[in-house]
Amino acid sequence: MDTDVVVVGAGPVGLLLAAELSLAGVRPIVLERRAGPNETPKARGIGVLAAEALRRRGLGDQLDREHEKGLAALERDHGTTKTHFAWIHKVDPEAADPGRHGALIAQPALEQVLRRHLADLGVEVHHGFTVTGWEQSPTEVTLTVQTPKGERRLSAGYVVGCDGGHSTIRKLAGFGFPGTPPLMTVRYAKAEVAGRDLLPAPGRLAGGTLFHDGDMIATFDFTDDVPDRDAPLSAEELRDSVRRVASVDVAITAFQGGLRFTDQARQADTYRQGRTLLAGDAAHVHSPNGGQGLNLGLMDAMNLGWKLAATVRGQVSLLDSYTDERHPVGAAVLHNTRAQSALLRPGPHVDALRDIVSDLMDLPEVNRHLSRLLSGTAHRYPLPYSADHPLTGSHCPPLIVNHTTPLADLARSGRPLLLHPAADAIDTGGRVDQVTTASLDHADLAAVLLRPDGVIAWAAAPGEALDPPSLRQALDTWFAA
Ligand SMILES: Cc1cc2nc3c(=O)[nH]c(=O)nc-3n(C[C@H](O)[C@H](O)[C@H](O)COP(=O)(O)OP(=O)(O)OC[C@H]3O[C@@H](n4cnc5c(N)ncnc54)[C@H](O)[C@@H]3O)c2cc1C
């Protein structure tokens, strides 16, 4: 066998997964078909959970620097820094979870941060390496790879497809990918429009939604079939779409290229088949509405990294919990993006529905609900042991430990962490880092056991027993000796 783990794809998810594996002591081989970094402007930020995860790895300063620029750009483009549900910009993330915030960092900048992080951990990305073949036996996976020096075969204990929505690994391994076909096609381009004054004001129109500002033009087109997805967007195709959506014919000039994507919503039926796993867009595709895809994929990587590393070391039973925990989270995102697509359909009936939804969003409880729906902060993984504390199974909020130390400063190593008033008295057999705490700066937490992905595996509220059987069960479930 050439290596324990191959990560296919060095998008944001593959980069973070490789870093998490490396922190947990498994150095993966990372294969990326592109010759260099991807500069395509896709996501403009990451949600609360992914931002907190990266802050726990020491990347907070870099996120914060980009966040300032991102806030200014959001304010400029939408006249508000609130996020949107179905392009109704009223969702206030700060109101739902005070003190918890995402990071408005453009995807190319985020990938640069992650590439540096991975390089600092000593892991190289093999650019120009395209996986074209896959075989799996009970003991290994063998990949066929086109490299700059010709075809090569590579065998590994495990392979993770982080190779995006068109995932080669998913297709070759025959994962089911059920879901719903597109309602709309989005086309986005940098281009000039001859006769711009012919265009109606940006907004909802008979055939969909039109956006235009400066040298940007975009259509949400509900009136055509999905074109050849492999062909790049052309000026002519964009012009046809503008005609269908806005009922005007304008010439597109100075076309600088663009993106085409749909709102089809599909999810792999399992994230693991034997020694082959999927993460990120390879496991789930949906519309970018509400800005959730990157957050979802990065949290797949956080969930999988330490579990796969433990599996390589022999703790095999952990791996099934990856699908068990992450599949429902992905399904929930697909669900709310379908609702957003429905709310974007053109026509007076949906106009009326949007007005009502918009009014409802002014109610604080509705606003908080939507915010948590988009951020995923309310989600709790079901744990395979009795854990009564209401925060167990959820991602830990940022704590200030002993009045001065941010949790993020204690979690950089990626090791499990026990924060406990009598940490020295708890025998964990060296399986977790232990910090004696006088305060966690959280009304409901007196002690907490964190998994490497930041999930609360066990917690005690003030006044509760601090060394109950559930703490032992949590330690033995997640961190076998
Ligand atoms: C216009 C747009 C706007 C978006 N906005 C947001 C947003 O605001 N917020 C948000 O959270 N998300 C957003 N998304 C979604 C987000 O961009 C994706 O969820 C994210 O890129 C997924 O990361 P990934 O690493 O899983 O896949 P990708 O970024 O697609 O990376 C996959 C990598 O695998 C490589 N690869 C593919 N096949 C092979 C192969 N056979 N061999 C080797 N390498 C291979 C590719 O070259 C690529 O580098 C948006 C997407 C789009 C298109």
Side-chain angles (χ1 to χ4, degrees), residues 7-16 30-38 40-47 84 104-105 107 111 126-133 144-146 161-169 172 186 188 259-262 279-298 300:
V7 174
V8 181
V13 175
L15 291 167
L16 182 60
V30 185
L31 306 176
E32 168 55 51
R33 74 175 169 199
R34 287 177 180 273
N38 186 353
T40 311
K42 295 197 277 186
R44 58 194 301 170
I46 54 177
H84 73 89
L104 286 167
I105 176 169
Q107 189 162 333
E111 292 187 26
H126 296 275
H127 282 282
F129 284 61
T130 304
V131 173
T132 54
T144 307
V145 189
Q146 309 306 317
C162 300
D163 48 348
H166 299 285
S167 172
T168 302
I169 296 295
L172 289 175
V186 177
Y188 168 94
L259 290 172
R260 179 202 314 108
F261 52 92
T262 76
D281 279 12
H284 35 71
V285 295
H286 52 83
S287 90
N289 285 327
Q292 302 165 87
L294 196 44
N295 197 59
L296 185 62
L298 292 172
D300 289 346

Coordinates of all heavy atoms in Angstrom, one line a residue, residues 7-16 30-38 40-47 84 104-105 107 111 126-133 144-146 161-169 172 186 188 259-262 279-298 300, ligand 1:
V7 N -6.6 11.9 -0.3 CA -7.7 12.9 -0.5 C -7.7 13.3 -1.9 O -6.7 13.8 -2.4 CB -7.4 14.1 0.5 CG1 -8.5 15.2 0.2 CG2 -7.4 13.6 1.9
V8 N -8.9 13.1 -2.6 CA -9.0 13.5 -4.0 C -9.7 14.9 -4.0 O -10.9 15.0 -3.7 CB -9.8 12.5 -4.8 CG1 -9.9 12.9 -6.3 CG2 -9.1 11.1 -4.7
G9 N -9.0 15.9 -4.5 CA -9.6 17.2 -4.6 C -9.0 18.2 -3.5 O -9.1 17.8 -2.3
A10 N -8.4 19.3 -4.0 CA -7.9 20.3 -3.0 C -8.7 21.5 -3.1 O -8.2 22.6 -3.2 CB -6.4 20.5 -3.3
G11 N -10.0 21.4 -3.1 CA -10.9 22.6 -2.8 C -10.8 22.8 -1.3 O -10.1 22.2 -0.6
P12 N -11.7 23.7 -0.8 CA -11.6 24.0 0.6 C -11.8 22.8 1.5 O -11.2 22.6 2.5 CB -12.8 25.0 0.8 CG -13.6 25.0 -0.5 CD -12.7 24.5 -1.5
V13 N -12.7 21.9 1.1 CA -13.0 20.7 1.9 C -11.8 19.7 2.0 O -11.4 19.3 3.0 CB -14.3 20.0 1.4 CG1 -14.6 18.7 2.2 CG2 -15.5 21.0 1.6
G14 N -11.3 19.5 0.8 CA -10.1 18.6 0.8 C -8.9 19.1 1.5 O -8.2 18.4 2.2
L15 N -8.7 20.4 1.4 CA -7.6 21.1 2.1 C -7.8 21.0 3.6 O -6.8 20.6 4.3 CB -7.5 22.6 1.7 CG -7.1 22.9 0.3 CD1 -7.3 24.3 -0.1 CD2 -5.6 22.5 0.1
L16 N -9.0 21.2 4.1 CA -9.2 21.2 5.5 C -9.1 19.7 6.0 O -8.6 19.4 7.1 CB -10.6 21.8 5.9 CG -10.9 21.8 7.4 CD1 -9.8 22.6 8.2 CD2 -12.2 22.4 7.7
V30 N -2.6 14.2 -1.2 CA -3.6 15.1 -1.7 C -3.4 15.2 -3.2 O -2.4 15.7 -3.7 CB -3.6 16.5 -1.0 CG1 -4.8 17.3 -1.5 CG2 -3.7 16.3 0.5
L31 N -4.5 14.9 -4.0 CA -4.4 14.9 -5.5 C -5.4 16.0 -6.0 O -6.5 16.0 -5.6 CB -4.8 13.6 -6.1 CG -4.0 12.4 -5.6 CD1 -4.5 11.1 -6.2 CD2 -2.5 12.5 -5.8
E32 N -4.9 16.8 -6.8 CA -5.7 17.9 -7.3 C -5.5 18.1 -8.9 O -4.4 18.2 -9.3 CB -5.4 19.3 -6.6 CG -6.0 20.5 -7.3 CD -7.5 20.5 -7.5 OE1 -8.2 20.2 -6.5 OE2 -8.0 20.7 -8.6
R33 N -6.6 18.0 -9.6 CA -6.4 18.0 -11.1 C -6.0 19.4 -11.6 O -5.4 19.5 -12.7 CB -7.7 17.5 -11.8 CG -8.8 18.5 -11.8 CD -10.0 18.0 -12.5 NE -11.1 18.9 -12.2 CZ -12.4 18.7 -12.5 NH1 -12.7 17.5 -13.0 NH2 -13.3 19.5 -12.2
R34 N -6.4 20.5 -10.9 CA -6.0 21.8 -11.4 C -4.5 22.0 -11.3 O -3.8 21.5 -10.4 CB -6.6 22.9 -10.5 CG -8.1 23.0 -10.8 CD -8.6 24.1 -9.8 NE -10.0 24.3 -10.0 CZ -10.6 25.1 -10.9 NH1 -9.8 25.8 -11.7 NH2 -11.9 25.2 -11.0
A35 N -4.0 22.9 -12.2 CA -2.5 23.1 -12.1 C -2.2 24.1 -11.0 O -1.0 24.1 -10.5 CB -2.1 23.8 -13.5
G36 N -3.1 24.8 -10.5 CA -2.9 25.8 -9.4 C -4.1 26.1 -8.7 O -5.2 25.5 -8.9
P37 N -4.1 27.2 -7.8 CA -5.2 27.6 -7.0 C -6.4 27.9 -7.9 O -6.3 28.4 -9.0 CB -4.7 28.8 -6.3 CG -3.3 28.7 -6.3 CD -2.9 28.0 -7.5
N38 N -7.6 27.8 -7.3 CA -8.9 28.1 -8.0 C -9.3 29.6 -7.6 O -9.5 29.8 -6.4 CB -9.9 27.1 -7.6 CG -11.2 27.3 -8.3 OD1 -11.4 28.3 -9.1 ND2 -12.2 26.4 -8.1
T40 N -11.9 31.2 -8.8 CA -13.3 31.4 -9.2 C -14.0 32.1 -8.0 O -14.0 31.5 -6.9 CB -14.1 30.1 -9.6 OG1 -13.3 29.5 -10.5 CG2 -15.5 30.4 -10.1
P41 N -14.7 33.2 -8.1 CA -15.4 33.8 -7.0 C -16.7 33.1 -6.7 O -17.7 33.4 -7.3 CB -15.6 35.3 -7.5 CG -15.7 35.2 -9.0 CD -14.9 34.0 -9.4
K42 N -16.7 32.2 -5.8 CA -17.9 31.5 -5.4 C -18.5 32.0 -4.1 O -19.0 33.1 -4.0 CB -17.7 30.0 -5.4 CG -17.4 29.5 -6.9 CD -17.5 28.0 -7.0 CE -16.3 27.3 -6.5 NZ -16.3 25.8 -6.8
A43 N -18.3 31.2 -3.0 CA -18.8 31.7 -1.7 C -18.1 33.0 -1.3 O -16.9 33.2 -1.5 CB -18.6 30.6 -0.7
R44 N -18.9 33.9 -0.6 CA -18.3 35.1 -0.1 C -18.1 35.0 1.4 O -17.7 36.0 2.0 CB -19.1 36.3 -0.5 CG -20.5 36.4 -0.1 CD -21.3 37.5 -0.9 NE -20.7 38.8 -0.7 CZ -21.1 39.9 -1.5 NH1 -22.0 39.8 -2.4 NH2 -20.5 41.1 -1.2
G45 N -18.4 33.9 2.0 CA -18.1 33.8 3.4 C -18.4 32.4 3.9 O -18.9 31.5 3.2
I46 N -18.1 32.2 5.2 CA -18.4 30.9 5.8 C -19.2 31.1 7.1 O -19.2 32.2 7.7 CB -17.1 30.1 6.2 CG1 -16.2 30.9 7.1 CG2 -16.4 29.6 5.0 CD1 -14.9 30.2 7.5
G47 N -20.0 30.1 7.5 CA -21.0 30.3 8.6 C -20.3 30.2 9.9 O -19.1 30.0 10.0
H84 N -29.5 36.6 4.0 CA -30.9 36.5 3.3 C -31.4 35.1 3.4 O -30.7 34.1 3.5 CB -30.8 37.0 1.9 CG -30.1 36.0 1.0 ND1 -30.7 35.0 0.3 CD2 -28.8 35.9 0.6 CE1 -29.9 34.4 -0.5 NE2 -28.7 34.9 -0.3
L104 N -16.9 36.7 6.7 CA -17.1 37.0 5.3 C -15.8 37.0 4.6 O -15.1 38.1 4.6 CB -17.8 38.4 5.2 CG -19.3 38.3 5.6 CD1 -19.8 39.7 5.8 CD2 -20.1 37.6 4.6
I105 N -15.4 35.9 4.2 CA -14.1 35.8 3.5 C -14.4 35.1 2.1 O -15.1 34.1 2.1 CB -13.1 34.9 4.3 CG1 -11.8 34.7 3.5 CG2 -13.6 33.6 4.8 CD1 -10.6 34.1 4.4
Q107 N -14.1 33.0 -1.2 CA -13.6 31.6 -1.3 C -12.2 31.5 -1.7 O -11.4 30.7 -1.1 CB -14.6 30.8 -2.2 CG -14.2 29.3 -2.1 CD -15.3 28.4 -2.6 OE1 -16.5 28.7 -2.5 NE2 -14.9 27.2 -3.1
E111 N -9.4 29.6 0.6 CA -8.6 28.5 0.1 C -7.1 28.8 0.3 O -6.3 27.9 0.6 CB -8.9 28.2 -1.4 CG -10.3 27.6 -1.5 CD -10.7 27.1 -2.9 OE1 -9.8 26.7 -3.6 OE2 -11.9 27.1 -3.2
H126 N -0.6 17.7 -4.6 CA 0.0 17.3 -5.9 C -0.9 17.9 -7.0 O -2.0 17.3 -7.3 CB 0.1 15.8 -6.0 CG 1.0 15.2 -5.0 ND1 2.4 15.1 -5.2 CD2 0.8 14.7 -3.7 CE1 3.0 14.6 -4.2 NE2 2.0 14.4 -3.2
H127 N -0.5 19.0 -7.6 CA -1.3 19.6 -8.6 C -1.1 18.9 -10.0 O 0.0 18.4 -10.3 CB -0.9 21.1 -8.7 CG -1.6 21.9 -7.6 ND1 -2.9 22.3 -7.7 CD2 -1.0 22.4 -6.5 CE1 -3.1 23.0 -6.6 NE2 -2.0 23.1 -5.8
G128 N -2.2 19.0 -10.8 CA -2.1 18.3 -12.1 C -2.2 16.8 -12.0 O -1.9 16.1 -13.0
F129 N -2.8 16.3 -10.9 CA -3.0 14.9 -10.7 C -4.6 14.6 -10.8 O -5.3 15.1 -9.9 CB -2.5 14.4 -9.4 CG -1.0 14.2 -9.4 CD1 -0.1 15.3 -9.6 CD2 -0.4 13.0 -9.1 CE1 1.2 15.2 -9.6 CE2 1.0 12.8 -9.1 CZ 1.8 13.9 -9.3
T130 N -5.0 14.0 -11.9 CA -6.5 13.7 -12.0 C -6.8 12.3 -11.8 O -6.2 11.4 -12.5 CB -6.9 14.2 -13.5 OG1 -6.5 15.5 -13.7 CG2 -8.4 14.0 -13.6
V131 N -7.7 12.0 -10.9 CA -8.1 10.6 -10.7 C -9.1 10.2 -11.8 O -10.1 10.9 -12.0 CB -8.7 10.4 -9.3 CG1 -9.3 9.0 -9.1 CG2 -7.7 10.7 -8.2
T132 N -8.8 9.1 -12.5 CA -9.7 8.6 -13.5 C -10.2 7.2 -13.3 O -11.1 6.7 -14.0 CB -9.0 8.6 -14.9 OG1 -7.7 7.9 -14.8 CG2 -8.7 10.1 -15.3
G133 N -9.6 6.4 -12.4 CA -10.0 5.1 -12.1 C -10.0 4.7 -10.6 O -9.3 5.3 -9.8
T144 N -6.5 5.0 -10.3 CA -5.7 5.3 -11.5 C -5.6 6.8 -11.6 O -6.6 7.5 -11.5 CB -6.3 4.8 -12.8 OG1 -6.6 3.4 -12.5 CG2 -5.5 5.0 -14.0
V145 N -4.4 7.4 -11.7 CA -4.2 8.8 -11.7 C -3.4 9.3 -12.9 O -2.3 8.7 -13.2 CB -3.4 9.2 -10.4 CG1 -3.4 10.7 -10.3 CG2 -4.0 8.6 -9.2
Q146 N -3.9 10.3 -13.6 CA -3.2 10.9 -14.7 C -2.3 12.0 -14.1 O -2.8 12.9 -13.5 CB -4.1 11.5 -15.8 CG -5.2 10.6 -16.3 CD -4.7 9.3 -16.8 OE1 -3.7 9.2 -17.5 NE2 -5.3 8.2 -16.5
G161 N -13.3 11.2 -1.5 CA -13.7 12.1 -2.6 C -14.1 13.4 -2.1 O -15.2 13.6 -1.5
C162 N -13.2 14.4 -2.2 CA -13.5 15.8 -1.9 C -13.5 16.5 -3.3 O -13.0 17.6 -3.4 CB -12.5 16.4 -1.0 SG -12.4 15.6 0.6
D163 N -14.0 15.9 -4.3 CA -13.8 16.3 -5.7 C -15.0 17.0 -6.3 O -15.2 17.0 -7.5 CB -13.2 15.2 -6.6 CG -14.1 13.9 -6.4 OD1 -14.9 13.8 -5.5 OD2 -13.9 13.0 -7.3
G164 N -15.8 17.6 -5.4 CA -16.8 18.6 -5.9 C -18.1 17.9 -6.4 O -18.2 16.7 -6.4
G165 N -19.0 18.8 -6.9 CA -20.3 18.3 -7.2 C -20.4 17.3 -8.3 O -21.3 16.5 -8.4
H166 N -19.4 17.3 -9.2 CA -19.4 16.3 -10.3 C -18.5 15.1 -9.9 O -18.0 14.4 -10.8 CB -18.8 17.0 -11.6 CG -19.7 18.1 -12.1 ND1 -20.9 17.9 -12.7 CD2 -19.5 19.4 -12.0 CE1 -21.4 19.1 -13.0 NE2 -20.6 20.0 -12.6
S167 N -18.2 14.9 -8.7 CA -17.3 14.0 -8.1 C -17.1 12.7 -9.0 O -18.0 11.9 -9.2 CB -17.8 13.5 -6.7 OG -17.0 12.5 -6.3
T168 N -15.8 12.5 -9.4 CA -15.4 11.3 -10.1 C -15.5 10.1 -9.1 O -15.9 9.0 -9.5 CB -14.0 11.5 -10.6 OG1 -13.9 12.6 -11.4 CG2 -13.5 10.2 -11.4
I169 N -15.0 10.3 -7.9 CA -15.0 9.2 -6.9 C -16.5 8.7 -6.7 O -16.7 7.5 -6.7 CB -14.4 9.6 -5.6 CG1 -12.9 10.0 -5.8 CG2 -14.5 8.6 -4.5 CD1 -12.0 8.8 -6.3
L172 N -17.6 6.8 -9.8 CA -16.9 5.5 -10.1 C -17.2 4.5 -9.0 O -17.3 3.3 -9.3 CB -15.3 5.7 -10.0 CG -14.7 6.5 -11.2 CD1 -13.2 6.7 -11.0 CD2 -15.0 5.7 -12.5
V186 N -29.0 29.5 -12.7 CA -28.4 30.9 -12.4 C -27.2 31.1 -13.4 O -26.4 30.2 -13.6 CB -27.9 30.9 -11.0 CG1 -27.3 32.3 -10.7 CG2 -29.1 30.7 -10.0
Y188 N -24.2 34.0 -14.1 CA -23.6 35.2 -13.5 C -22.4 35.5 -14.3 O -21.6 34.6 -14.6 CB -23.2 34.8 -12.0 CG -22.3 35.8 -11.4 CD1 -22.8 36.8 -10.5 CD2 -20.9 35.7 -11.5 CE1 -21.9 37.7 -9.9 CE2 -20.0 36.6 -10.9 CZ -20.6 37.6 -10.1 OH -19.7 38.5 -9.5
L259 N -20.3 32.2 -14.6 CA -20.6 30.9 -14.0 C -22.0 30.6 -14.4 O -22.9 31.5 -14.5 CB -20.6 31.1 -12.5 CG -19.2 31.2 -11.8 CD1 -19.5 31.5 -10.3 CD2 -18.4 30.0 -11.9
R260 N -22.3 29.3 -14.5 CA -23.7 28.8 -14.6 C -23.8 27.7 -13.6 O -23.0 26.8 -13.5 CB -23.9 28.3 -16.0 CG -25.3 27.7 -16.2 CD -25.4 26.7 -17.3 NE -24.8 27.1 -18.6 CZ -23.7 26.5 -19.0 NH1 -23.1 25.6 -18.3 NH2 -23.1 26.8 -20.2
F261 N -24.9 27.8 -12.8 CA -25.2 26.7 -11.9 C -26.7 26.6 -11.7 O -27.4 27.5 -12.0 CB -24.4 26.8 -10.6 CG -24.6 28.2 -9.9 CD1 -25.6 28.3 -9.0 CD2 -23.8 29.2 -10.2 CE1 -25.8 29.6 -8.3 CE2 -24.0 30.5 -9.6 CZ -25.0 30.6 -8.6
T262 N -27.1 25.5 -11.1 CA -28.6 25.3 -10.9 C -28.9 25.1 -9.5 O -28.0 25.0 -8.6 CB -29.1 24.0 -11.7 OG1 -28.7 22.9 -11.0 CG2 -28.6 24.0 -13.1
A279 N -17.0 13.8 1.0 CA -17.1 15.0 1.8 C -17.3 16.2 0.9 O -16.8 16.3 -0.2 CB -15.9 15.2 2.7
G280 N -18.1 17.2 1.5 CA -18.3 18.4 0.7 C -19.2 18.3 -0.4 O -20.1 17.4 -0.4
D281 N -19.1 19.1 -1.5 CA -20.0 19.0 -2.6 C -20.0 17.6 -3.2 O -21.0 17.3 -3.9 CB -19.6 20.1 -3.7 CG -20.0 21.5 -3.3 OD1 -20.5 21.7 -2.2 OD2 -19.9 22.3 -4.2
A282 N -19.0 16.8 -3.1 CA -19.1 15.5 -3.6 C -20.2 14.7 -3.0 O -20.8 13.8 -3.6 CB -17.7 14.8 -3.4
A283 N -20.6 15.1 -1.8 CA -21.6 14.3 -1.0 C -23.0 15.0 -1.1 O -24.0 14.3 -0.9 CB -21.2 14.2 0.4
H284 N -23.0 16.3 -1.5 CA -24.3 17.0 -1.5 C -24.2 18.2 -2.4 O -23.2 19.0 -2.3 CB -24.7 17.4 -0.1 CG -23.6 17.8 0.8 ND1 -22.8 19.0 0.6 CD2 -23.0 17.2 1.8 CE1 -21.9 19.1 1.5 NE2 -21.9 18.0 2.2
V285 N -25.2 18.4 -3.3 CA -25.2 19.7 -4.1 C -26.6 20.3 -3.9 O -27.6 19.6 -3.7 CB -25.0 19.4 -5.6 CG1 -23.6 18.9 -5.8 CG2 -26.0 18.5 -6.2
H286 N -26.6 21.6 -3.9 CA -27.9 22.4 -3.7 C -27.6 23.8 -4.1 O -26.5 24.1 -4.4 CB -28.3 22.3 -2.2 CG -27.2 22.7 -1.3 ND1 -26.9 24.1 -1.0 CD2 -26.2 22.0 -0.7 CE1 -25.8 24.1 -0.3 NE2 -25.4 22.9 0.0
S287 N -28.6 24.6 -4.2 CA -28.4 26.0 -4.6 C -27.6 26.7 -3.5 O -27.6 26.4 -2.3 CB -29.7 26.7 -4.8 OG -30.1 27.3 -3.6
P288 N -26.8 27.7 -3.9 CA -26.0 28.5 -2.9 C -26.8 29.4 -2.1 O -26.3 30.1 -1.3 CB -25.0 29.3 -3.8 CG -25.2 28.9 -5.2 CD -26.5 28.2 -5.3
N289 N -28.2 29.5 -2.3 CA -29.0 30.4 -1.5 C -28.9 30.2 0.0 O -29.0 29.2 0.5 CB -30.5 30.3 -1.9 CG -30.7 30.9 -3.3 OD1 -30.1 31.9 -3.7 ND2 -31.6 30.3 -4.1
G290 N -28.6 31.3 0.6 CA -28.4 31.3 2.1 C -26.9 31.0 2.4 O -26.6 31.0 3.6
G291 N -26.1 30.8 1.4 CA -24.6 30.6 1.7 C -24.3 29.5 2.7 O -23.6 29.8 3.7
Q292 N -24.7 28.3 2.4 CA -24.5 27.2 3.3 C -23.5 26.1 2.9 O -23.1 25.3 3.7 CB -25.9 26.6 3.6 CG -26.9 27.5 4.2 CD -28.3 27.0 4.1 OE1 -28.7 26.3 5.0 NE2 -29.0 27.2 3.0
G293 N -23.3 26.0 1.6 CA -22.5 24.9 1.0 C -21.1 24.7 1.6 O -20.7 23.6 2.0
L294 N -20.4 25.8 1.7 CA -19.1 25.8 2.2 C -19.0 25.4 3.6 O -18.2 24.6 4.1 CB -18.4 27.2 1.9 CG -16.9 27.3 2.0 CD1 -16.3 26.2 1.2 CD2 -16.6 28.7 1.4
N295 N -19.9 26.0 4.4 CA -20.0 25.7 5.8 C -20.2 24.2 6.0 O -19.5 23.5 6.8 CB -21.1 26.5 6.4 CG -21.1 26.6 7.9 OD1 -20.1 27.0 8.5 ND2 -22.1 26.1 8.6
L296 N -21.2 23.7 5.2 CA -21.6 22.3 5.3 C -20.4 21.4 5.0 O -20.1 20.4 5.8 CB -22.7 22.0 4.3 CG -23.4 20.7 4.3 CD1 -24.1 20.4 5.7 CD2 -24.4 20.6 3.2
G297 N -19.7 21.7 3.9 CA -18.6 20.8 3.5 C -17.4 20.9 4.5 O -16.8 19.9 4.8
L298 N -17.1 22.1 5.0 CA -16.0 22.2 5.9 C -16.3 21.5 7.2 O -15.4 20.9 7.8 CB -15.7 23.7 6.2 CG -15.1 24.5 5.1 CD1 -15.1 26.0 5.4 CD2 -13.7 24.0 4.7
D300 N -18.2 18.8 7.3 CA -17.9 17.4 7.0 C -16.5 17.0 7.3 O -16.2 16.0 7.9 CB -18.2 17.1 5.5 CG -19.7 17.1 5.1 OD1 -20.5 17.1 6.0 OD2 -19.9 17.2 3.9
Ligands
LIG1 C1 -21.7 31.0 -7.5 C2 -21.6 30.2 -6.2 C3 -21.7 30.8 -5.1 C4 -21.6 30.2 -3.9 N1 -21.8 30.9 -2.8 C5 -21.7 30.2 -1.6 C6 -21.8 30.9 -0.4 O1 -22.1 32.1 -0.3 N2 -21.6 30.3 0.8 C7 -21.3 29.0 0.8 O2 -21.2 28.4 1.9 N3 -21.2 28.2 -0.3 C8 -21.4 28.8 -1.5 N4 -21.2 28.1 -2.7 C9 -20.8 26.7 -2.6 C10 -19.3 26.5 -2.4 O3 -18.6 27.2 -3.3 C11 -19.0 25.0 -2.5 O4 -19.9 24.3 -1.5 C12 -17.6 24.6 -2.2 O5 -16.7 25.1 -3.2 C13 -17.4 23.1 -2.0 O6 -16.1 22.8 -1.8 P1 -15.5 21.4 -2.1 O7 -14.1 21.4 -1.6 O8 -16.4 20.4 -1.6 O9 -15.6 21.3 -3.7 P2 -14.8 22.2 -4.8 O10 -14.6 23.6 -4.3 O11 -15.6 22.0 -6.0 O12 -13.4 21.5 -4.9 C14 -13.3 20.2 -5.6 C15 -11.8 20.1 -6.1 O13 -11.7 18.8 -6.6 C16 -10.9 18.8 -7.8 N5 -11.2 17.6 -8.6 C17 -12.4 17.4 -9.2 N6 -12.3 16.2 -9.8 C18 -11.1 15.7 -9.6 C19 -10.4 14.5 -10.0 N7 -11.0 13.5 -10.7 N8 -9.1 14.3 -9.6 C20 -8.5 15.3 -8.8 N9 -9.1 16.4 -8.4 C21 -10.4 16.6 -8.8 C22 -11.4 20.1 -8.4 O14 -10.4 20.6 -9.3 C23 -11.5 21.0 -7.2 O15 -10.4 21.8 -6.9 C24 -21.3 28.8 -3.9 C25 -21.1 28.1 -5.1 C26 -21.2 28.8 -6.2 C27 -21.0 28.1 -7.5

